[in-house]
Amino acid sequence: MPRLGHQIPRSGTDLLHLVFAHPADAVRRARAVLADSPTPFDASVAHQAIGIVQRDFGDLTSAVAELRQALAHARRSGSSEREADVLATFGVALIHSGQTRAGLAALDRGVAKSAGPHGARVRFRRGAALWVLGRHEDALPDLKTAIAVLRRAGDTIWVGRALAIRGQVQLALGAVERASTDFTEAERLFRQTDQEHDSAIAVQNLGLTAFRAGDLPTALARFDDADQRFRRLATPMPELVADRCAALLAAGLSHEALVEADAAIAEVSARRGQTTRKAELLLIAGRAALAARDPQVALDRATEAVRLFTVQRREWWRQHARLLALRAGFVLDPHARQLPQARQVAARLRALRAPDHIQANLLAGRIALEANQLAQARDHLTAAAAARRGGPAISRAEGWLARALLAAADGNPALVLSACRHGLDVLDEHRLALGASELRARATEHGAELAELALRTCLSRGRTRDLLKWSERWRATVCAVPAVRPPVDSGVQRDLAALRATASRLDQALASGTPADAFAATWQRLERQIRDRVRREPGGFGDRPDTPAHQFVRALLDELGTDRLAAIVEIRGELHVLVCGAGRVRRWVAGRAAAAARQLDSACWLLRRLAYGSTPALAERLLTRLNSIGDQLQHTLLGAAAGRLGDDRLVIVPPGRFHAVPWALLPCLRNRVHAVAPSATAWFNARRARRPATDDVVLVRGPDLATKGAEITHLAATHPGARVIEGGSATAPAVLAAIDGSSLTHLAAHGQFRADSPMFSAIRLFDGPLTVYDFQQLRRAPYRIVLPCCDSGVLQPVGADELLGLTTALLPLGTAGIVAAIVPVNDTATVPLMSALHTALRAGGTLAESLATARNHTANQPLDLATAWSFIALGAA
């Protein structure tokens, strides 16, 4: 028997049932009804069906026109029930078009004209309209009455719809458990019906519940499921975009959220859709822009949202947009004149029972501190600090931040550090609930201010060990815990294989000059599919560092012995060098981070220029400039600490954005054994990484190398018994199988760093790119790995002080040592360097020792020196 959605309507009212089951069918059949000389009653239903579809998924102006005709026909039909039903639909459309007063008047007339179950359906729509307007307290009585009447009538569909809206109202009022109960029952009811659009909304709402409960992987999975359902129905849902963007922001994906929100704004504008939804999207886009550190864009979006919400008479929403505008304005130009407005917004949001009153009080407290209004600051920060006692992790962390700021204002450093510790512990719960290393890294952004405040407090107290401990608390945290691997049946491997096949076809099409658009589109689709699959994986709360924080500094110093570790910490743009060793931690002030960033850009440009050919005279001039930049980098990054690093091996732990520095270019390090680590914790763990029992060496030769991978032949002789994978055999499955658990792997292949999507940074094999996601499928990464490919050591700073890229993906998987290039390198000049490196390795050196030996044997020519300086050793093996 065919489903009701595909039957020919037995009467005009069946069209309305069809609207949310199969919208396109409903419009087609409504137009057929109108073409067949219908009665006024049936004509009213047909115009109403078209109007609903246009209102929710199409052109709102056309929807209002259709509904005016529906109302005229309803009045001619003589049915007050029919007229009331159209009035309810018409009123909602007017509200979505910004005509709030007229819309509410139409809804009131509809309620007055109806009774019983039909009246309950009209009353539900008035409650839904009040929810859209942000009048949550006013919406609840209508929804409560409607649900009770519809339950008695056994109206499954409309009970489900009313429960879904009441759940939204409960969420807006902060009643997450009540919302979850309503959403869960609504989803159960819709599973019994053919209402596919309502069922998709139910899945979306379950995602929203998971998000509010702090379960981001489940939320993202639900949102993706709902999105696929809406796409099948061709029913665009701006509300889903807003919900998904909120989840992306919680995951630290602010740029992605901004792109999605702006695209949805453009889509709604292009089809002349609901201005109410456009205003909501502007608000979420502004929040995304502020999180992406673009306060001017945030202010622009917020200002437009305030204007629309004001016209639409949506006070609850208007106050949220005002809060965003104030936050953006405070970043752009902190000033005491913002305090009265911030206090007003905080009071209004509290009166509206909006959970964001916490954020408003936090902002008002900050502004009051800036204005030296300590009494007002104390009032607002105390109010914001109440959030630390319950609610989502990010809100609780904001409560602890308010407590820390209050303690700082009161001159109580011990309480500041205690509040920062509690706040970061809360965010650890949020971060470790995520399985994807990318999300774990990006989510640390929420703790950046807590970490910075703790560092400033330690600096002011002059306690160097505490400064080291706190610098480690929120630095490269992803490298400090084991990675979460996706299950075998997750589909990630299948999608990665498809991505490689598509990349090969794309390369072939580009090389032959044939059309490649289809392959490029498939590539983008697969990348998004892989990202989404990985992001949906849950994390584990047991992933904690083995050494307690209060014991870490002592354990680190014991592990170092006579070696030294230089941890560079950035505080308010100034670099501080903490030199650890010989049982002590000492601090020196170096230069400004901004100056170091400029010098690093110059050094990398010069290295790239030397790698790709120049005349002998030009090469000498470039080398002279490079030596000068090396002197500057040493002064800026290390300062006086450069002369206090001892004579033994050195580990450098820089801030994320200075990870890919050509450290051997610094005069004090040129003849020194040194390694780089994302954090002292990562180095400590690498020192204790288990070395494989057998000495399995894997050598891989990739395609299209200028030297044909010439070093592989020499390396095979250096490592008797090594497994060599080359030619058509050097495919991703074969390479991954061979290197899994190996003691040493050398990958001679081209590499590509993707700043736009670091997890798709890749090494090129014969069947396509071997990405970071591929490496994460390994049960155990190689103990040591040499990556002589271009940009293999380049990483993308994200979050508070995290890094994403190939090398940092390997460390949590068990890799203890890596050699990688930080810029594109010359293939020919790389061959002798790698040969010397492996000869030293075979003699028993670590990667850092072997790289130093290889550098010391480098010919004194600009190209050879530049090549040697372009490699860094990471880790401890």
Side-chain angles (χ1 to χ4, degrees), residues 377-390:
R378 190 168 285 106
D379 289 345
H380 286 291
L381 292 174
T382 300
R388 71 191 191 278
R389 301 191 182 97

Side-chain angles (χ1 to χ4, degrees), residues 230-241:
F230 290 134
R231 288 180 187 278
R232 284 197 298 269
L233 293 169
T235 54
M237 287 292 288
E239 302 97 308
L240 175 62
V241 176

Side-chain angles (χ1 to χ4, degrees), residues 657-680:
R657 58 174 166 157
F658 299 120
H659 178 85
V661 166
W663 293 99
L665 181 60
L666 278 59
C668 69
L669 301 180
R670 288 196 185 174
N671 300 309
R672 175 90 178 256
V673 175
H674 63 273
V676 183
S679 67

Side-chain angles (χ1 to χ4, degrees), residues 195-271:
Q195 297 297 290
E196 295 188 19
H197 182 78
D198 286 311
S199 294
I201 290 177
V203 171
Q204 174 187 342
N205 288 341
L206 290 177
L208 194 54
T209 302
F211 169 56
R212 293 299 180 91
D215 187 354
L216 271 182
T218 297
L220 291 170
R222 297 283 192 183
F223 292 153
D224 289 344
D225 184 5
D227 183 56
Q228 291 173 12
R229 294 172 183 233
F230 290 134
R231 288 180 187 278
R232 284 197 298 269
L233 293 169
T235 54
M237 287 292 288
E239 302 97 308
L240 175 62
V241 176
D243 289 345
R244 177 176 160 79
C245 287
L248 292 175
L249 286 177
L253 296 161
S254 53
H255 290 283
E256 192 170 322
L258 179 57
V259 169
E260 289 199 17
D262 280 348
I265 292 167
E267 188 274 332
V268 170
S269 299
R271 64 178 168 86

Side-chain angles (χ1 to χ4, degrees), residues 247-586:
L248 292 175
L249 286 177
L253 296 161
S254 53
H255 290 283
E256 192 170 322
L258 179 57
V259 169
E260 289 199 17
D262 280 348
I265 292 167
E267 188 274 332
V268 170
S269 299
R271 64 178 168 86
R272 296 192 296 178
Q274 298 172 355
T275 59
T276 49
R277 301 308 181 198
K278 179 180 178 180
E280 293 164 20
L281 288 167
L282 282 165
L283 178 59
I284 195 70
R287 288 172 176 166
L290 189 59
R293 300 179 184 178
D294 195 340
Q296 187 58 57
V297 170
L299 182 58
D300 294 342
R301 300 288 191 280
T303 302
E304 177 63 8
V306 169
R307 185 188 69 79
L308 287 175
F309 289 137
T310 302
V311 171
Q312 295 163 3
R313 299 176 181 272
R314 302 170 71 189
E315 180 64 9
W316 187 89
W317 289 98
R318 177 175 173 269
Q319 293 302 331
H320 282 82
R322 287 186 67 201
L323 171 59
L324 174 61
L326 285 168
R327 290 175 62 205
F330 185 68
V331 173
L332 287 167
D333 181 25
H335 202 280
R337 64 174 176 272
Q338 299 163 318
L339 184 57
Q341 292 183 66
R343 287 170 57 83
Q344 182 188 62
V345 169
R348 287 294 297 132
L349 287 172
R350 188 175 188 88
L352 291 164
R353 294 178 56 190
D356 277 3
H357 77 84
I358 296 295
Q359 203 171 73
N361 275 301
L362 180 57
L363 175 64
R366 291 178 195 275
I367 298 173
L369 286 176
E370 191 76 21
N372 203 31
Q373 300 290 327
L374 296 185
Q376 292 185 24
R378 190 168 285 106
D379 289 345
H380 286 291
L381 292 174
T382 300
R388 71 191 191 278
R389 301 191 182 97
I394 293 174
S395 296
R396 282 184 284 146
E398 287 179 336
W400 282 112
L401 175 59
R403 188 74 189 89
L405 290 171
L406 184 59
D410 289 338
N412 189 335
L415 191 54
V416 172
L417 295 177
S418 175
C420 290
R421 184 178 304 108
H422 283 298
L424 293 178
D425 286 346
V426 166
L427 288 173
D428 270 339
E429 296 175 18
H430 169 70
R431 187 174 57 83
L432 294 176
L434 306 170
S437 57
E438 176 194 16
L439 298 191
R440 286 186 171 191
R442 294 185 185 278
T444 59
E445 180 66 34
H446 298 294
E449 189 170 1
L450 282 164
E452 170 81 7
L453 181 57
L455 290 175
R456 294 203 312 262
T457 302
C458 291
L459 184 64
S460 66
R461 299 177 84 185
R463 297 187 177 180
T464 308
R465 289 197 177 205
D466 284 350
L467 188 59
L468 174 64
K469 181 177 70 176
W470 275 100
S471 72
E472 284 292 302
R473 180 65 183 84
W474 215 239
R475 188 206 291 263
T477 57
V478 173
C479 295
V481 297
V484 177
R485 293 169 178 81
V488 174
D489 62 348
S490 69
V492 173
Q493 291 98 327
R494 183 179 64 250
D495 288 342
L496 287 168
L499 185 72
R500 285 192 292 274
T502 301
S504 296
R505 295 190 187 102
L506 179 59
D507 288 344
Q508 291 167 11
L510 292 172
S512 63
T514 57
D517 290 350
F519 296 126
T522 301
W523 172 284
Q524 292 172 357
R525 176 182 61 78
L526 285 168
E527 282 199 353
R528 173 158 186 157
Q529 196 164 296
I530 292 165
R531 271 196 302 266
D532 290 345
R533 282 186 186 278
V534 174
R535 288 172 181 176
R536 292 196 291 261
E537 296 301 331
F541 291 100
D543 300 333
R544 303 279 183 171
D546 294 333
T547 305
H550 67 280
Q551 299 176 11
F552 176 72
V553 175
R554 181 179 296 278
L556 175 67
L557 291 170
D558 289 344
E559 192 69 34
L560 282 167
T562 59
D563 294 340
R564 296 290 186 272
L565 182 146
I568 305 173
V569 183
E570 181 180 346
I571 304 175
R572 286 185 166 172
E574 188 172 59
L575 299 176
H576 299 257
V577 185
L578 307 179
V579 178
C580 311
R584 300 175 61 189
V585 180
R586 292 174 293 173

